[in-house]
């Protein structure tokens, strides 16, 4: 009965997770999709707590309550601008959990192997401080009991799963910590590698594989090999993401999401948990697909990005001629009043200033005046895929005027006014004009082709990737300096 209930609940939860992922592909269905995920996870937790092999319910409830309370507090405190780094932090926890579960699986495996070596296949050897006790199997309801019935081939497969869980989980943990630091501005977005670069990563990976073979062949101290593998993987994750520049960080976030999924799937095999396998595979595959799509949108090679091969300069940058010309709110408002078509390009600066509501009001007033207003969203706008879409949806901007880059890029030559709010790299013409630029070849919003371009930004600094933008020096561009929210609010009373 227990197995039947758990299996049925896991199937329903898996279906809900699939529906959740599918719904997140569109703004209108995203809220419903989130509820699918919430219900699916709640069902999975209940089924696990009351499924076969479960125990320690009191402790489990305490831990779930504690984790839920921490999650609630974090969710209430985190601003929308901090969502990218929060996602990176969550990925790190998934990776660390995979490492802990894998080590625990090895400890249980060691107990079972000691029991079998003692000639007691239906008992488990438990090593205490001074002696080893042989405890009958019927006292165990969980993982150790399952291990005693596995064949040698199945135990070897389990060792492979433990190795993969530790290796992928450790890379995910430290890589996500570095991604968090870069997204939060605590670590420089400039790519940094130790002398030896990719060779160090390759050597650490090769050493991990050799240690993994020693572990699986039962040569030497198993736990010691696993500790060394974890340390090497921690280094790979740190060095790998440190070597990726700020321009590629949105891809890194989705890539780490994929890593965390595969780590969870590996642990699912270890624990013989079908739902964890399915969920991990869903997260891993969807993250990999998203990373690939984003790489195509940025004209990046997928393999090169995940190996930390992009983000650095390839030569001296082209010289920029001209000067940045400032404009005040009266000048921008006059241009908007005369315009028939307006395109707004939001970026991370809009999120930092929390200007989405002001932008939404600006949109409402312009549309009420009979002007065509649309939004242009670059695939990597902000620091997380879909970041701008979420902010605009939160501010009640109509979905049908929020367009992706491919849908609107050809319309800029016929656009009267483009307002850029906190964007830099995604509107940088150097991607097309300067082969030595770190973002060379990356598709960008061709805003400079519009009749007039107004850039709202705090000052003359460069963007997240540290690249100067020639757009700011063009004759049809004017710099509207100041906090984005304050700047947009200054425009509102000046519009007809």
């Amino acid at each position: 009965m227990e197995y039947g209930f758990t299996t049925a609940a896991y199937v329903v939860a898996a279906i809900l997770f699939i529906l959740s992922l599918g719904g997140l592909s569109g703004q209108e269905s995203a809220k419903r999709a989130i509820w699918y995920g919430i219900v699916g996870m709640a069902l999975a937790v209940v089924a696990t707590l009351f499924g076969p092999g479960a125990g320690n319910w009191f402790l489990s409830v305490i831990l779930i309550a504690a984790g839920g309370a921490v999650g609630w507090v974090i969710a209430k405190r985190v601003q929308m601008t901090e969502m990218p780094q929060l996602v990176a932090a969550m990925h790190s926890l998934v990776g660390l959990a995979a490492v802990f579960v894998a080590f625990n699986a090895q400890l249980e495996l060691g107990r079972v192997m000691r029991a079998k070596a003692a000639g007691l296949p239906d008992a488990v050897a438990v090593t205490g401080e001074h002696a080893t006790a042989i405890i009958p199997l019927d006292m165990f309801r969980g993982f150790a009991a399952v291990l005693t019935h596995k064949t040698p081939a199945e135990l070897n497969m389990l060792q492979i799963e433990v190795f993969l869980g530790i290796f992928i989980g450790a890379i995910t943990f430290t890589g996500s910590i570095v991604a968090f630091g870069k997204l939060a501005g605590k670590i420089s977005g400039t790519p940094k590698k130790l002398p030896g670069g990719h060779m160090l990563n390759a050597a650490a990976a090769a050493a991990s594989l050799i240690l993994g073979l020693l572990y699986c062949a039962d040569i030497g101290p198993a736990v010691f090999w696993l500790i060394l593998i974890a340390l090497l993987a921690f280094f790979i994750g740190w060095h790998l993401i440190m070597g990726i520049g700020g321009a590629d960080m949105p891809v890194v976030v989705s890539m780490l999401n994929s890593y965390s999924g595969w780590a969870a799937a590996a642990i699912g095999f270890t624990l013989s948990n079908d739902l964890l396998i399915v969920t991990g595979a869903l997260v891993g595959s969807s993250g990999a697909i998203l990373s690939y799509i984003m790489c195509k949108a940025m004209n990046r090679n997928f393999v090169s990005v995940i190996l930390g091969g992009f983000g650095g300069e390839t030569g001296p940058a082209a010289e920029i001629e001209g000067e940045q010309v400032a404009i005040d709110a009266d000048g921008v408002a006059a241009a908007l009043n005369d315009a028939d078509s307006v395109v707004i390009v939001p970026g991370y600066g809009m999120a930092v200033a929390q200007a989405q509501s002001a932008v939404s009001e600006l949109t409402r007033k312009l549309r009420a005046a009979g002007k065509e207003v649309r939004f242009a969203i670059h695939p990597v706008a902000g620091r997380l895929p879909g970041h701008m879409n979420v902010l605009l949806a939160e501010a009640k901007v109509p979905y049908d005027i929020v367009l992706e880059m491919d849908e609107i890029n050809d319309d800029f030559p016929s656009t009267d006014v483009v307002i850029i709010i906190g964007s830099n790299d995604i509107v940088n013409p150097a991607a097309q004009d300067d082969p030595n630029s770190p973002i060379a070849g990356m598709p960008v919003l061709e805003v400079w082709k519009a009749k007039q371009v107004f850039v709202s930004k705090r000052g003359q600094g460069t963007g997240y990737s540290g690249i100067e933008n020639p757009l700011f020096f063009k004759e049809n561009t004017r710099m509207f300096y100041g906090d984005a929210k304050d700047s947009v609010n200054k425009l509102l009373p000046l519009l007809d």
Side-chain angles (χ1 to χ4, degrees):
M1 181 65 181
E2 280 184 331
Y3 284 99
F5 165 75
T6 302
T7 301
Y10 281 177
V11 170
V12 174
I15 293 173
L16 288 172
F17 291 151
I18 293 171
L19 291 173
S20 179
L21 280 176
L24 290 173
S25 62
Q27 293 176 334
E28 296 181 357
S29 59
K31 288 185 178 179
R32 183 173 65 253
I34 291 174
W35 277 108
Y36 285 148
I38 292 173
V39 174
M41 182 56 67
L43 182 60
V45 170
V46 171
T48 301
L49 285 176
F50 293 96
N56 295 320
W57 289 286
F58 181 71
L59 179 59
S60 298
V61 170
I62 291 177
L63 293 175
I64 291 173
V70 172
W72 177 269
V73 171
I74 292 175
K76 294 290 287 184
R77 291 183 177 179
V78 170
Q79 302 295 323
M80 283 302 301
T81 56
E82 299 170 326
M83 286 303 296
Q85 48 263 47
L86 176 63
V87 171
M90 294 298 103
H91 292 164
S92 72
L93 296 179
V94 175
L96 188 61
V99 173
F100 284 157
V101 171
F103 270 106
N104 182 71
Q106 172 54 38
L107 294 177
E108 296 293 336
L109 178 61
R111 292 178 179 179
V112 171
M113 297 304 291
R114 287 194 297 273
K116 288 189 174 184
L120 298 168
D122 293 326
V124 175
V126 180
T127 301
E129 183 177 356
H130 302 293
T132 298
I134 305 299
I135 300 178
L137 178 61
D138 57 15
M139 293 184 63
F140 286 82
R141 301 185 59 203
F143 185 57
V146 175
L147 291 178
T148 60
H149 300 292
K150 288 184 177 291
T151 66
E154 290 173 330
L155 290 175
N156 283 335
M157 183 58 65
L158 174 65
Q159 289 177 306
I160 295 174
E161 295 160 4
V162 168
F163 164 71
L164 291 176
I166 290 177
F167 184 71
I168 301 175
I171 290 177
T172 304
F173 175 68
T174 50
S176 298
I177 292 297
V178 174
F180 169 84
K182 289 195 173 190
L183 291 167
K186 300 180 183 298
I187 300 177
S188 171
T190 304
K192 297 179 181 179
K193 295 187 180 75
L194 295 175
H198 296 309
M199 291 304 298
L200 282 176
N201 294 337
S208 298
L209 180 59
I210 293 172
L211 292 172
L213 293 174
L214 292 174
Y215 163 67
C216 292
D218 294 322
I219 301 175
V223 174
F224 179 69
W225 297 146
L226 292 179
I227 291 173
L228 291 180
I229 291 170
L231 293 175
L232 288 170
F234 283 146
F235 167 79
I236 294 173
W238 170 80
H239 194 232
L240 191 69
I241 307 305
M242 284 296 295
I244 299 178
D248 289 327
M249 285 311 295
V251 180
V252 171
V253 173
S254 61
M255 176 188 73
L256 290 169
N257 180 50
S258 179
Y259 286 178
S260 68
W262 297 125
I267 294 307
F269 280 106
T270 302
L271 299 177
S272 299
N273 188 304
D274 295 336
L275 183 61
L276 194 54
I277 296 171
V278 172
T279 305
L282 286 172
V283 174
S285 57
S286 61
I289 292 170
L290 179 60
S291 299
Y292 176 73
I293 292 173
M294 293 178 65
C295 283
K296 287 190 65 177
M298 297 171 65
N299 195 32
R300 295 291 198 247
N301 181 280
F302 180 68
V303 175
S304 294
V305 170
I306 65 174
L307 292 179
F310 275 90
E313 296 181 4
T314 58
E319 294 185 5
I320 299 176
E321 299 180 352
E323 61 178 350
Q324 296 184 22
V325 181
I327 192 171
D328 59 15
D330 290 327
V332 177
L336 289 173
N337 287 328
D338 293 338
D340 293 320
S341 60
V342 178
V343 173
I344 301 174
V345 180
Y348 188 69
M350 185 185 78
V352 171
Q354 298 184 7
Q356 58 268 28
S357 296
V359 171
S360 179
E361 179 62 18
L362 173 66
T363 303
R364 188 193 64 78
K365 293 198 69 171
L366 291 174
R367 296 184 78 192
K371 304 178 189 301
E372 180 187 32
V373 182
R374 293 176 295 171
F375 286 80
I377 306 296
H378 192 279
V380 295
R383 297 183 183 175
L384 188 73
H387 196 184
M388 297 300 103
N389 302 76
V390 172
L391 290 176
L392 295 176
E394 178 189 37
K396 302 296 189 294
V397 172
Y399 298 138
D400 60 334
I401 66 172
V402 180
L403 305 178
E404 300 298 323
M405 177 179 65
D406 294 338
E407 299 175 296
I408 202 171
N409 232 3
D410 293 336
D411 296 344
F412 283 115
S414 59
T415 300
D416 294 324
V417 172
V418 170
I419 302 179
I420 300 169
I421 304 179
S423 293
N424 195 320
D425 302 321
I426 62 174
V427 293
N428 193 333
Q432 297 181 359
D433 302 335
D434 184 4
N436 291 327
S437 172
I439 60 172
M442 169 180 162
V444 292
L445 291 163
E446 298 173 350
V447 296
W448 57 89
K449 294 182 179 180
K451 295 175 185 177
Q452 290 180 285
V453 179
F454 300 105
V455 181
S456 173
K457 66 194 304 283
R458 290 180 179 273
Q460 297 185 0
T462 58
Y464 181 63
S465 61
I467 307 168
E468 189 60 84
N469 192 338
L471 170 70
F472 303 157
F473 300 84
K474 290 186 176 293
E475 293 183 358
N476 64 334
T477 298
R478 294 294 181 266
M479 308 302 295
F480 189 26
Y481 292 121
D483 176 83
K485 183 177 180 179
D486 293 339
S487 296
V488 175
N489 282 330
K490 289 178 182 178
L491 294 176
L492 296 177
L494 301 175
L495 299 177
D496 294 338

